[in-house]
Amino acid sequence: MRVIVRTVSELCITVGTLIVLFVAYVLFWTGVRADGAMSDQIDQLHRQWSQGSVPKKDTPGEATASVNDPGPYHYGKAFAIMYIPRFGFTWNKPVLEGTGRDVLAKGLAHYQGTAQLGQEGNFSVAGHRRTYGDPFLDFPELRVGDAVVLTDGTTWFTYRIDKGPYKTVPTDVEVIDPVPRKSGYTRPGRYLTLTTCDPEWGHSHRLIVWAHLDSTQPVDTGEPAALRR
């Protein structure tokens, strides 16, 4: 009996240790790796942009400014940086093409097949709420009128949130349609959709916000008003 009790106790200790190590990995190590990966992606973008490697092909844009066509996006490659002042003026994350697990571990993920940045349609982006750097941890704090600012190295794109956070289920794929049915939009436009998981430590639901392109301006004119403190 003593041997059985000791064996069971040792097994419990081993299992408990493994659980603690797993939780530490999920909470800490994935965050450390993701923060490093996101910083590397942003540094790479800044280097590319400083070398003038962003294609510039003007297309008709909104009355506020012309919008550049960046050419095709490539899976797993960063092409823009997102800023959300509501999350703090130091918050910025890279946006990469594709929504695979490997991509989401390095930043925010652009849904393939949705509109490109600044173009007509629905530019749709996903991000983790928890783990891998917690990029969208404060997603529920977003409010109507908040700015979501992105740059592709040549242009600043300022979107303004019109609706959300809206709670739905993962199978509700209509949220990233060109004109999302539940967004309140009734005609084609230049829209942005952000998505993340809900609840904070689960994935049974999704939180959504929808925004419209409010203004654009060339990068060489300085930061947009939404990013000025």
Side-chain angles (χ1 to χ4, degrees):
M1 179 63 69
R2 185 177 300 172
V3 172
I4 293 174
V5 171
R6 185 169 61 232
T7 301
V8 171
S9 299
E10 289 175 351
L11 284 173
C12 289
I13 293 172
T14 301
V15 171
T17 300
L18 290 174
I19 292 174
V20 169
L21 290 174
F22 176 75
V23 171
Y25 171 78
V26 170
L27 294 180
F28 178 72
W29 185 241
T30 63
V32 170
R33 294 184 62 184
D35 286 341
M38 286 188 277
S39 294
D40 287 345
Q41 295 293 325
I42 290 174
D43 288 344
Q44 289 177 31
L45 283 174
H46 283 307
R47 285 195 296 270
Q48 292 171 14
W49 296 342
S50 67
Q51 295 166 3
S53 60
V54 179
K56 298 180 180 180
K57 178 183 176 184
D58 289 339
T59 59
E62 302 280 75
T64 52
S66 65
V67 177
N68 293 321
D69 178 359
Y73 299 151
H74 300 286
Y75 182 86
K77 300 295 184 182
F79 61 86
I81 300 173
M82 181 182 291
Y83 304 79
I84 301 181
R86 171 70 69 176
F87 296 164
F89 281 93
T90 61
W91 189 98
N92 60 90
K93 306 297 177 186
V95 183
L96 297 84
E97 177 67 356
T99 53
R101 185 173 297 179
D102 58 328
V103 177
L104 282 161
K106 297 185 288 186
L108 305 178
H110 173 244
Y111 285 92
Q112 291 175 287
T114 66
Q116 292 189 326
L117 178 57
Q119 303 300 305
E120 186 168 303
N122 187 3
F123 177 70
S124 302
V125 176
H128 279 297
R129 179 99 173 269
R130 276 293 193 177
T131 70
Y132 295 100
D134 306 337
F136 278 166
L137 173 62
D138 295 325
F139 200 95
E141 302 302 317
L142 292 172
R143 295 293 180 266
V144 171
D146 281 353
V148 180
V149 182
L150 295 104
T151 181
D152 64 357
T154 65
T155 305
W156 289 106
F157 303 85
T158 300
Y159 290 84
R160 291 285 174 182
I161 294 176
D162 295 307
K163 184 174 180 179
Y166 167 78
K167 189 173 182 177
T168 188
V169 293
T171 54
D172 185 7
V173 296
E174 293 180 349
V175 298
I176 60 172
D177 281 353
V179 183
R181 183 168 57 87
K182 299 175 184 177
S183 64
Y185 304 134
T186 58
R187 56 179 179 147
R190 301 175 190 269
Y191 303 129
L192 166 71
T193 298
L194 302 180
T195 76
T196 194
C197 291
D198 189 70
E200 189 172 323
W201 288 104
H203 49 78
S204 61
H205 289 77
R206 297 287 184 270
L207 290 180
I208 314 293
V209 298
W210 288 291
H212 71 277
L213 183 61
D214 185 58
S215 65
T216 64
Q217 67 184 67
V219 165
D220 56 17
T221 63
E223 290 185 341
L227 294 184
R228 298 174 196 157
R229 303 190 188 192

